[in-house]
Amino acid sequence: MNIAQLGAVIIAMLTMVVLIIVDLKLSAMLNIPETSNSRSLAWMLGEAPLPMIVSVVIFSPICEELIFRGIFFSYALTNQYNHRNYQMIAVVINSLIFASVHVDANWEPWIYYTLMGSILGITYLLAKRDIRMNILVHMGTNLAVFALAAMS
């Protein structure tokens, strides 16, 4: 990992943590119900905390990043479609797909997960498609969610 990649990881992680805090505050202020994804995670955390934390902080980020960024971008941005405009279109499409597997019909979680997907997509491109950087950001973000939940 070089300094530029480390910087991208730190900035992405901090941005994601700020996004999480804003989402929590906004959801509370507007009485937005939690998503079925959030309810399922909370239930599983109550039933088996250690396996759940290991799964969500380690295994899920690895799998999601390999699928959403690794596989998706390797097909979406072949040499023929590697121009900056295609990259931004791919980030938008990728973030919408990422959001669609994490949320229900409520508008606010769609915005939140689309922004998270965008940050992860941009991080992937800035890190020169080094999937390890995205995995670190995703792991750190999921760990931050557990830490914030434990503090509240």
Side-chain angles (χ1 to χ4, degrees):
M1 179 184 309
N2 63 36
I3 296 296
Q5 289 175 320
L6 180 61
V9 166
I10 291 170
I11 290 169
M13 216 176 291
L14 290 173
T15 304
M16 298 277 264
V17 169
V18 168
L19 186 59
I20 292 165
I21 293 168
V22 168
D23 176 62
L24 290 171
K25 297 292 183 190
L26 185 63
S27 295
M29 285 176 21
L30 300 175
N31 288 330
I32 296 171
E34 62 183 353
T35 64
S36 59
N37 182 53
S38 296
R39 282 190 302 277
S40 297
L41 290 174
W43 177 81
M44 289 185 279
L45 184 60
E47 293 294 311
L50 186 58
M52 185 60 192
I53 291 170
V54 169
S55 173
V56 171
V57 173
I58 296 173
F59 297 117
S60 293
I62 292 170
C63 293
E64 286 184 8
E65 291 309 315
L66 289 173
I67 293 167
F68 287 110
R69 262 54 72 180
I71 293 172
F72 177 88
F73 281 107
S74 68
Y75 285 105
L77 297 177
T78 59
N79 289 338
Q80 178 183 3
Y81 299 108
N82 207 19
H83 187 270
R84 182 115 149 139
N85 292 337
Y86 290 118
Q87 289 177 346
M88 289 304 105
I89 291 168
V91 166
V92 170
I93 292 168
N94 182 264
S95 64
L96 291 170
I97 294 169
F98 181 76
S100 72
V101 300
H102 287 89
V103 300
D104 317 1
N106 294 329
W107 63 270
E108 192 271 341
W110 267 95
I111 294 169
Y112 168 72
Y113 280 105
T114 300
L115 288 172
M116 290 187 79
S118 296
I119 292 167
L120 289 165
I122 292 167
T123 301
Y124 183 69
L125 295 175
L126 290 175
K128 306 288 187 232
R129 299 185 185 184
D130 187 344
I131 197 72
R132 297 172 300 172
M133 303 305 112
N134 270 69
I135 291 170
L136 286 174
V137 171
H138 203 143
M139 285 177 168
T141 301
N142 287 5
L143 183 61
V145 168
F146 278 119
L148 289 168
M151 292 186 324
S152 60

